[in-house]
């Protein structure tokens, strides 16, 4: 496959991350490289690697969507806590509102805490 310069740059960024996480070497001469990235992308825990794999796949004309991102959008709301994005279940929010109707509410580090 012929890689564009941008794809080569992204694949160079991925090399060390994929090897550190999975122990798999990325070889540009491998004809099944994109298939291998499509398998490794969803199981990666590194958000930068996941984003970069999705970008490489979209540049190759094979867009890749992760199930986790869809589930976060459906059943969870996303909050930022100490610079990291966290998914919080939507069912937890009504419980916090119910405790606020009793009169007093305590807030600890940005979260409502029941007494």
């Amino acid at each position: 496959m012929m890689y564009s310069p941008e794809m080569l740059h992204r694949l160079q960024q991925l090399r060390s991350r994929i090897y550190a996480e999975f122990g798999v070497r990325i070889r540009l001469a491998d004809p099944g490289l994109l298939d291998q990235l499509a398998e490794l992308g969803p199981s990666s825990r590194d958000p930068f690697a996941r984003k970069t794999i999705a970008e490489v796949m979209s540049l190759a004309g094979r867009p890749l969507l992760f199930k986790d991102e869809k589930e976060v959008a459906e059943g969870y709301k996303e909050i930022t806590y100490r610079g990291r994005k966290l998914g919080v279940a939507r069912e937890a929010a009504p419980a916090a509102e119910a405790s606020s109707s009793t009169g007093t509410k305590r807030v600890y580090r940005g979260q409502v805490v029941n007494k």
Side-chain angles (χ1 to χ4, degrees), residues 35-67:
D35 296 329
Q36 186 178 22
L37 287 177
E39 292 174 10
L40 295 176
S43 60
S44 176
R45 286 181 267 143
D46 183 11
F48 178 79
R50 290 171 64 99
K51 182 183 78 147
T52 308
I53 289 172
E55 289 172 359
V56 167
M57 296 300 283
S58 67
L59 287 172
R62 297 172 49 184
L64 180 68
L65 298 175
F66 300 115
K67 284 194 293 186

Side-chain angles (χ1 to χ4, degrees), residues 89-107:
R90 290 193 188 266
E91 294 94 32
E97 293 170 5
S99 68
S100 66
S101 64
T102 60
T104 61
K105 70 176 181 179
R106 299 180 77 191
V107 178

Side-chain angles (χ1 to χ4, degrees), residues 1-4 6-12 14 18 24-43 49-66:
M1 173 170 188
M2 295 295 294
Y3 298 111
S4 67
E6 187 172 346
M7 285 177 69
L8 288 174
H9 177 70
R10 305 287 174 163
L11 289 170
Q12 290 292 348
L14 279 175
I18 295 294
V24 176
R25 297 228 184 249
I26 292 180
R27 301 187 195 293
L28 298 177
D30 184 14
L33 174 64
L34 295 178
D35 296 329
Q36 186 178 22
L37 287 177
E39 292 174 10
L40 295 176
S43 60
R50 290 171 64 99
K51 182 183 78 147
T52 308
I53 289 172
E55 289 172 359
V56 167
M57 296 300 283
S58 67
L59 287 172
R62 297 172 49 184
L64 180 68
L65 298 175
F66 300 115

